[in-house]
């Protein structure tokens, strides 16, 4: 059986043993997705502009990596933010077995009432409503005994809402990004470690079927040494950004007036990071950003938005395409892109490449939308559709949950994310995504600003794990387990 080169790792963690070859006859290898572990990195980056300072842990806090949830029979859930996303996720929080949505909160009290009506309309006990002020969320957290708080407010509130949830004794699932500043990211890491509560990104795309297939193929050696990846969030949001009432108080468009940054690359970055075992044997090390001119939003407004619209007082400064080139400790490169301001079909890219093959998503090669080319199975410089590979490498979550997830948001991955969070909490498992993953995936937001401020020089990505990244451990590539029965 062919084995890929693996370098012994400085870790005491067990490595998952090779498994039997599957139908494709790939040599099944260990958990480590890429094989450059421990290999000295040659000069990938010219010079790093500013070293990231790693603050010392205070008060005897310890790592939350590999920390299981305390098992609970029923997960009591409170929601903060009941706009497009919060209401979109509400059904899933109610429907997953073993949950009780006990409290709902929105600064707009009528939205809390609508959400409570919806829960009651599904035959469940009516959650208590909190709303009417920007302190309502705190009142909810002070009053309720919640196991999980789900935050779907505008980005500027995520840090405050997430931290308050931890301090109130709940775990926190936060929409993207968990925070927008480096000191806020550190604060969430430290607060999670101090309170012993998990805070994590509700990163639904990490549970996408193609993304999880790509992850499994990478971890089983299909691509050989994984050396590079390319992901992003390329979504023409122009009409929604200017649609009155869609983003409450125009919050999302206003970010484009404030800074030049990669606001939201995580949907494409996170699956690449998972396939590369970031924080599980490798880590993001440096980031270099570029930004194009800001043209798309002003051009759209010029053509489609009436002159008396309030947006005409705004100046858009965020580059249409912001690209982050990221290097990893083990010598890999990742290109993470963000573009919501120009006409284009939707894509998160999802490209992974290694010494023996390549996976590319969003190219429409067959019903999966993805294509693949891997030695020695393919030849003739001809792409293959990914469906046969997906049959073999389909993640257990999709095999088990395809039925219940069908019809759910974003092709079912929203439900799979919610099911998995609840299952882990009810079973007392270690979360697939932890505060360190979340901080690393969101760090490009502030780091892209820092790099651009320095004329496009590389900046260091902080090691939020404080050295724990060297230890191999399971993440999204989990082993199958059942949802506990509801008693
Ligand atoms: N993962 C995904 O696929 C996905 C999809 C859409 C949106 N999102 C994320 O979800 C979040 C919300 O986006 P959205 O489109 O729902 O925006 P939205 O404007 O529709 O909803 C935001 C809600 O938060 C409420 N709110 C604002 N301040 C509040 C406060 N202090 N306390 C309580 N409620 C407050 C608003 O009244 C509003 O109802 C964003 O982070 C966005 O990036 C994620």
């Amino acid at each position: 059986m062919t084995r890929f080169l693996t370098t012994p790792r400085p870790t005491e963690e067990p490595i998952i043993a090779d498994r039997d070859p599957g139908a494709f006859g790939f040599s099944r290898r260990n958990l480590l997705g890429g094989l450059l572990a421990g290999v000295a990195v040659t000069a990938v980056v010219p010079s790093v502009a500013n070293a990231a300072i790693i603050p010392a842990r205070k008060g005897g806090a310890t790592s939350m990596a590999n920390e299981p949830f305390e098992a609970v029979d029923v997960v009591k859930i409170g929601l903060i933010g009941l706009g497009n996303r919060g209401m979109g996720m509400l059904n899933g929080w109610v429907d997953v077995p073993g949950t009780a949505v006990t409290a709902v909160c929105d600064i707009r009290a009528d939205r809390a009432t609508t959400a409570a009506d919806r829960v009651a309309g599904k035959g469940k006990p009516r959650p208590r409503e909190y709303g009417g002020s920007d302190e309502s969320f705190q009142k909810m957290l002070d009053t309720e005994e919640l196991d999980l708080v789900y935050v779907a407010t505008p980005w500027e509130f995520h840090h405050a809402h997430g931290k308050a949830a931890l301090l109130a004794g709940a775990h926190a699932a936060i929409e993207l990004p968990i925070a927008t500043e480096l000191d806020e990211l550190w604060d969430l890491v430290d607060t999670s470690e101090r309170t012993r509560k998990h805070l994590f990104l509700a990163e639904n795309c990490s549970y996408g079927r193609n993304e999880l297939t790509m992850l499994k193929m990478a971890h089983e050696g299909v691509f050989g040494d994984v050396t590079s990846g390319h992901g992003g969030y390329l979504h023409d949001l122009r009409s929604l950004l200017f649609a009155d009432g869609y983003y409450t108080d125009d919050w999302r468009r206003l970010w484009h007036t404030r800074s030049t940054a990669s606001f939201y690359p995580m949907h494409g970055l996170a699956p690449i990071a998972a396939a590369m075992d970031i924080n599980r044997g490798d880590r993001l090390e440096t980031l270099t950003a570029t930004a194009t001119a800001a043209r798309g939003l002003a051009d759209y407004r010029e053509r489609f938005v009436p002159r008396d619209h309030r947006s005409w007082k705004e100046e858009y400064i965020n580059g249409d395409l912001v690209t982050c080139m990221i290097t990893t400790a083990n010598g890999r490169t990742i290109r993470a892109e963000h573009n919501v301001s120009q006409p284009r079909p939707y894509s998160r890219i999802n490209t992974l490449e290694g010494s023996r093959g390549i996976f590319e998503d969003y190219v429409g090669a067959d019903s999966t939308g993805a294509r693949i080319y891997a030695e020695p199975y393919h030849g003739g410089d001809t792409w293959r559709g990914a469906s046969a590979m997906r049959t073999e490498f389909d993640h257990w979550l999709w095999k088990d949950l395809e039925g219940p997830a069908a019809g759910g948001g974003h092709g079912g991955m929203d439900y799979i994310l919610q099911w998995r969070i609840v299952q882990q909490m009810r079973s007392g498992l270690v979360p697939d995504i932890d505060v360190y993953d979340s901080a690393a995936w969101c760090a490009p937001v502030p780091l892209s600003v820092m790099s651009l401020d320095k004329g496009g020089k590389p900046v260091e990505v902080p090691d939020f794990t404080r050295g724990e990244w060297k230890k191999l451990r399971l993440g999204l590539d989990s082993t199958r387990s059942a949802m506990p029965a509801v008693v």
Side-chain angles (χ1 to χ4, degrees):
M1 183 166 76
T2 309
R3 285 190 65 90
F4 294 100
L5 294 172
T6 47
T7 308
R9 307 299 306 275
T11 175
E12 293 170 10
E13 296 283 313
I15 291 177
I16 305 295
D18 283 8
R19 284 160 277 176
D20 292 336
F24 277 87
F26 290 111
S27 59
R28 303 304 170 99
R29 43 172 297 270
N30 60 36
L31 167 67
L32 187 63
L35 304 155
L36 300 176
V39 175
V41 183
T42 46
V44 177
V45 176
S47 70
V48 177
N50 59 328
I53 296 161
I54 299 182
R57 280 198 176 102
K58 291 187 202 123
T62 54
S63 174
M64 287 295 283
N66 259 351
E67 184 77 14
F69 287 109
E70 69 282 13
V72 290
D73 286 342
V74 174
V75 180
K76 294 194 288 305
I77 304 174
L79 277 65
I80 308 176
L82 298 161
N84 306 305
R85 185 63 177 158
M87 289 301 280
M89 291 287 274
L90 181 60
N91 281 353
W93 292 126
V94 175
D95 292 343
V96 171
T99 62
V101 173
T102 55
V104 287
C105 170
D106 196 288
I107 194 167
R108 287 164 177 78
D110 59 310
R111 296 188 179 184
T113 302
T114 305
D117 287 347
R118 164 110 56 101
V119 177
K122 288 168 78 71
K124 301 286 175 152
R126 188 181 180 82
R128 284 169 289 280
E129 297 168 33
Y130 295 85
S133 96
D134 58 5
E135 289 301 315
S136 301
F137 79 94
Q138 192 60 57
K139 189 165 178 217
M140 176 181 95
L141 296 174
D142 291 343
T143 311
E144 302 287 333
E145 278 198 15
L146 299 166
D147 300 309
L148 177 70
V149 173
Y150 168 68
V151 175
T153 50
W155 302 335
E156 47 269 47
F157 305 116
H158 289 184
H159 166 254
H161 292 166
K163 181 175 183 179
L166 296 180
L167 292 175
H171 303 286
I174 315 289
E175 276 301 341
L176 293 61
I178 58 168
T180 58
E181 302 289 342
L182 269 192
D183 60 346
E184 293 176 349
L185 292 171
W186 274 115
D187 190 36
L188 293 179
V189 168
D190 291 344
T191 308
S192 172
E193 291 180 347
R194 212 170 57 239
T195 57
R196 311 311 295 165
K197 295 292 167 190
H198 285 293
L199 179 144
F200 49 90
L201 201 62
E203 180 37 274
N204 48 339
C205 299
S206 293
Y207 290 91
R209 196 167 200 162
N210 279 359
E211 283 87 341
L212 285 175
T213 305
M214 180 177 80
L215 170 76
K216 286 192 69 64
M217 286 195 282
H219 283 188
E220 303 217 9
V222 177
F223 308 121
D225 289 351
V226 172
T227 52
S228 67
H230 181 194
Y233 186 67
L234 308 176
H235 190 181
D236 179 3
L237 289 179
R238 293 170 304 160
S239 63
L240 293 179
L241 288 169
F242 286 98
D244 282 340
Y246 187 82
Y247 291 116
T248 314
D249 297 333
D250 303 328
W251 68 264
R252 196 162 184 162
R253 192 177 71 241
L254 291 175
W255 275 91
H256 289 257
T257 68
R258 291 188 196 129
S259 61
T260 304
S262 180
F263 291 134
Y264 198 81
M266 311 80 170
H267 282 325
L269 171 59
I272 299 292
M276 292 183 177
D277 294 306
I278 296 301
N279 292 341
R280 288 158 178 73
D282 198 356
R283 79 173 192 88
L284 307 183
E285 203 170 57
T286 72
L287 179 148
T288 310
T290 59
T292 68
R295 293 280 188 272
L297 296 189
D299 177 67
Y300 182 91
R301 179 179 60 184
E302 177 72 31
R303 289 183 292 148
F304 301 112
V305 180
R307 291 274 161 178
D308 58 355
H309 191 262
R310 60 191 174 285
S311 64
W312 277 94
K313 297 198 178 78
E314 298 163 1
E315 184 189 355
Y316 307 113
I317 60 170
N318 194 34
D320 291 336
L321 174 65
V322 179
T323 304
C324 296
M325 282 303 303
I326 301 170
T327 63
T328 79
N330 292 337
R332 302 181 176 110
T333 59
I334 303 173
R335 180 152 52 109
E337 295 184 353
H338 180 257
N339 186 348
V340 297
S341 312
Q342 291 177 322
R344 55 156 304 128
Y346 181 94
S347 176
R348 299 193 296 275
I349 307 168
N350 294 338
T351 291
L352 197 70
E353 187 159 19
S355 54
R356 300 210 178 160
I358 180 167
F359 179 94
E360 288 190 354
D361 205 348
Y362 293 96
V363 288
D366 64 12
S367 59
T368 65
R371 64 186 182 186
I372 185 168
Y373 186 83
E375 290 177 343
Y377 315 99
H378 309 138
D381 296 334
T382 306
W383 290 102
R384 307 298 199 287
S387 56
M389 297 296 216
R390 192 160 84 181
T391 303
E392 178 171 356
F393 293 98
D394 209 12
H395 195 280
W396 69 268
L397 281 165
W398 278 95
K399 287 183 188 157
D400 289 4
L401 295 173
E402 186 171 8
H410 295 110
M413 65 190 179
D414 290 353
Y415 182 84
I416 296 212
L417 163 81
Q418 293 173 297
W419 187 96
R420 180 70 176 151
I421 291 170
V422 171
Q423 184 222 13
Q424 291 171 128
M425 292 186 67
R426 296 187 63 218
S427 308
L429 298 175
V430 174
D432 292 343
I433 300 171
D434 61 26
V435 73
Y436 310 107
D437 303 318
S438 308
W441 300 344
C442 297
V445 183
L447 293 177
S448 57
V449 178
M450 288 167 60
S451 173
L452 289 164
D453 278 353
K454 292 174 186 304
K457 285 209 166 62
V459 293
E460 270 190 36
V461 182
D463 172 17
F464 295 103
T465 72
R466 294 177 167 106
E468 292 280 320
W469 65 271
K470 292 176 182 156
K471 294 186 181 165
L472 305 188
R473 57 196 172 96
L474 279 175
L476 285 147
D477 191 9
S478 52
T479 46
R480 178 182 253 126
S481 56
M483 177 72 85
V486 178
V487 283

